[in-house]
Amino acid sequence: MIKDIMVHLDGSLEDEIRLEHGQAIASAGRAPLIGIFTNLLPDLTIAMPMDGGAAAMQVLTELDDKARQDGDTTAKRLTERLASLQVPSELRRLDGTYGTLSAKVVEQARCADLFLATRPNGGTETPDWTDLVEAVLFGSGRALLLVPPGRHRRGPIQTVLVAWNGSREAARALREGLPFIEQAGRTVVLVVDPPPDTRPWMEVEDHLARHGVIAEVETAESQDRRVADVILDEARSVSADLIIMGGYGHTRFREQVFGGATRDILSAADSPLLVAH
């Protein structure tokens, strides 16, 4: 059971879409909804010219003051919006530069059952918070629910597609996704390129059955297609309201990058994604 949900807010039009999805999930269990407002400040260390003097510093200080004042206005509006929801809610404001906000959000996300954000790689019309999403996925130990840009809530989650490959990441995602699976009317487990003469999905079937879920199993050969395309095609075929999959990547030094299939799906998925690492 999901007991608390964090929703990323940034003052953009996507806030309303994220809140729609967050409120629907919170309403199912009367879970508190916590809005995490990231107020982006100018990075003065980057913007300051090498020969900057008092005049340049004054300009940069004014930019910082303006960003904070705009943040005050946005925070007030978001507080009023959260108060209108039919679930307990609160707003937490984080001010910082693009490079510092991700770490602050990760600290917050570690104490929530679910973190909801807009999926990255959505195009130029939406703010790019890819670094933040990567940081929460790899650093929080929590699951992320990523909503496609512009995709309003379309009713309850009826069909869930689980992309299963037997990995640790897939197992984490399956565990984090159980509250959605147990409430859905249909669960489809997709196994891409299973080894010959094996049934690697049997344990998943048995595990879900112990949770009262009778899952359908589909297998597919990727052949000359990307694995991401196979998963997305299956999601469209079964009209999945949610895709559950492991989030693959690595965090060595600064290389917090999504693995191939994860990255490809994040750039094209029509359905919300629940990912865990």
Side-chain angles (χ1 to χ4, degrees):
M1 180 68 70
I2 295 174
K3 293 297 186 180
D4 44 19
I5 302 164
M6 286 187 176
V7 178
H8 177 223
L9 304 171
D10 61 2
S12 71
L13 295 177
E14 291 296 318
D15 283 350
E16 189 60 33
I17 293 174
R18 290 187 286 258
L19 286 173
E20 285 180 13
H21 289 266
Q23 180 181 12
I25 299 168
S27 296
R30 293 295 299 171
L33 192 153
I34 304 165
I36 302 296
F37 169 40
T38 53
N39 187 42
L40 189 61
L41 302 180
D43 191 336
L44 303 185
T45 61
I46 294 176
M48 184 70 176
M50 293 295 293
D51 59 346
M57 180 57 71
Q58 177 65 27
V59 171
L60 296 178
T61 300
E62 291 174 357
L63 289 174
D64 187 80
D65 290 343
K66 179 65 164 56
R68 294 181 186 276
Q69 291 169 8
D70 290 345
D72 293 341
T73 302
T74 301
K76 181 176 183 297
R77 175 172 56 81
L78 290 174
T79 299
E80 294 172 351
R81 179 66 181 95
L82 287 169
S84 71
L85 302 180
Q86 302 303 308
V87 295
S89 64
E90 66 172 284
L91 182 71
R92 298 179 187 174
R93 172 177 171 175
L94 302 174
D95 292 87
T97 62
Y98 191 81
T100 62
L101 280 173
S102 294
K104 294 180 180 180
V105 173
V106 167
E107 291 179 358
Q108 296 289 320
R110 287 173 180 157
C111 294
D113 286 333
L114 184 69
F115 190 89
L116 194 153
T118 300
R119 70 162 170 80
N121 304 326
T124 57
E125 296 181 0
T126 57
D128 183 9
W129 290 101
T130 301
D131 281 4
L132 184 147
V133 170
E134 289 179 356
V136 174
L137 176 62
F138 292 122
S140 71
R142 300 297 180 177
L144 278 77
L145 181 65
L146 301 175
V147 180
R151 189 188 192 279
H152 289 274
R153 178 79 176 180
R154 300 175 184 174
I157 295 173
Q158 298 287 354
T159 301
V160 174
L161 175 69
V162 179
W164 180 256
N165 64 2
S167 67
R168 178 187 66 82
E169 290 86 354
R172 276 289 324 283
L174 180 67
R175 176 63 187 89
E176 298 288 349
L178 275 176
F180 298 98
I181 292 172
E182 291 174 337
Q183 294 176 15
R186 182 187 184 192
T187 297
V188 179
V189 176
L190 174 65
V191 182
V192 181
D193 295 333
D197 304 320
T198 65
R199 292 169 59 87
W201 56 85
M202 292 182 61
E203 291 81 0
V204 178
E205 281 187 289
D206 293 342
H207 176 62
L208 290 176
R210 287 188 283 271
H211 283 270
V213 177
I214 306 302
E216 306 170 31
V217 176
E218 296 288 343
T219 62
E221 300 293 334
S222 61
Q223 297 178 345
D224 59 346
R225 295 186 295 165
R226 300 183 306 173
V227 172
D229 292 333
V230 177
I231 295 172
L232 294 175
D233 286 347
E234 181 67 18
R236 297 181 186 109
S237 176
V238 301
S239 299
D241 301 301
L242 177 67
I243 300 171
I244 295 176
M245 63 177 291
Y248 304 96
H250 52 282
T251 59
R252 187 178 181 183
F253 301 110
R254 183 58 188 88
E255 295 180 283
Q256 281 195 334
V257 295
F258 290 114
T262 309
R263 181 184 60 251
D264 294 339
I265 288 178
L266 285 176
S267 66
D270 302 321
S271 304
L273 301 163
L274 188 141
V275 294
H277 179 69

